[in-house]
Amino acid sequence: GTTVSGGPADVVLDERVFPGEGLGAVFADRVRSAGGVTADPGTLVGTGADIAPGVIVSGRIPTDAEVVR
């Protein structure tokens, strides 16, 4: 499975800001995440990214990226 630990973040929705919301990571549509993947809080994974088993991701992962160890 994929592990996404939570933490505070400012969430913007339709130009409205919700400060300090509990947020883990955000995985876009069609992301393939293999077993044992861990995402740091605040990680944004782009559409169609492919994340290999056991990888730790953080920051911004681009659309259609292939992430391996």
Side-chain angles (χ1 to χ4, degrees):
T2 298
T3 303
V4 181
S5 54
D10 294 343
V11 177
V12 180
L13 180 62
D14 293 330
E15 298 180 18
R16 196 165 160 211
V17 178
F18 299 88
E21 292 294 318
L23 181 66
V26 177
F27 283 50
D29 293 334
R30 298 182 305 280
V31 171
R32 290 171 303 281
S33 171
V37 169
T38 300
D40 288 338
T43 300
L44 302 175
V45 180
T47 303
D50 189 0
I51 306 171
V55 171
I56 299 171
V57 292
S58 63
R60 292 177 181 253
I61 307 302
T63 296
D64 296 322
E66 183 177 355
V67 184
V68 297
R69 282 205 265 190

